Amino acid sequence: MITLSLLSALLVSAQDPAPAPPPVRIPIRPAALIPADPERPSIITNPRWAVRPQVTERELRMVMPALEQDISGEAAVSCRVNADGRLRDCTVIETPAGHGFGDAALSAARSGQVDVSRYTPPSESTVHFTIRFRP
């Protein structure tokens, strides 16, 4: 008789599961309302230039052998932005490699200055841009 009571209690508990807790709702704020993380620098991919990086005769001389062979190239440049908008700590990836496109782009980047009135905090920004060289 005791076994039958335990068996029926098990059957009842298996048939009546505990109610599921209500779903947790997390409000999602639009990105514009989320404050910027001060620990993460902002990335500028479409910069507004106060002074656009200039490819001068010096940079053209660096890539002239490739251009004379009808070789086009480009350099993807990434730089930190000082508080005044000047570029520093630049790195580059050139395509194709070995024709001076990267060195010429780094040289040209020294003349660039980002319009910092548009980006905050400007001293914590990184700018990405591409310089193309065509024959």
Side-chain angles (χ1 to χ4, degrees):
M1 186 84 102
I2 294 176
T3 359
L4 185 57
S5 302
L6 286 174
L7 184 58
S8 64
L10 288 175
L11 287 174
V12 168
S13 65
Q15 293 172 356
D16 295 330
V24 176
R25 300 197 187 272
I26 301 172
I28 298 176
R29 299 187 317 181
L33 299 178
I34 298 173
D37 183 354
E39 298 299 316
R40 290 186 55 203
S42 61
I43 305 295
I44 304 168
T45 56
N46 189 14
R48 177 180 289 171
W49 296 103
V51 178
R52 185 175 298 278
Q54 297 297 312
V55 176
T56 65
E57 284 187 39
R58 178 176 187 255
E59 288 82 26
L60 285 176
R61 279 194 306 270
M62 297 168 85
V63 298
M64 192 54 69
L67 298 178
E68 286 174 344
Q69 295 176 38
D70 217 23
I71 298 173
S72 296
E74 65 181 33
V77 183
S78 177
C79 303
R80 302 286 291 158
V81 180
N82 285 336
D84 66 355
R86 299 226 178 258
L87 307 181
R88 65 177 168 86
D89 303 331
C90 297
T91 59
V92 67
I93 299 173
E94 65 178 358
T95 306
H99 294 283
F101 298 118
D103 289 338
L106 287 175
S107 178
R110 289 188 196 108
S111 66
Q113 186 174 6
V114 174
D115 177 4
V116 292
S117 66
R118 206 174 147 197
Y119 309 103
T120 53
S123 62
E124 294 299 319
S125 299
T126 300
V127 63
H128 299 293
F129 59 96
T130 301
I131 297 179
R132 291 177 179 82
F133 300 90
R134 306 210 190 287

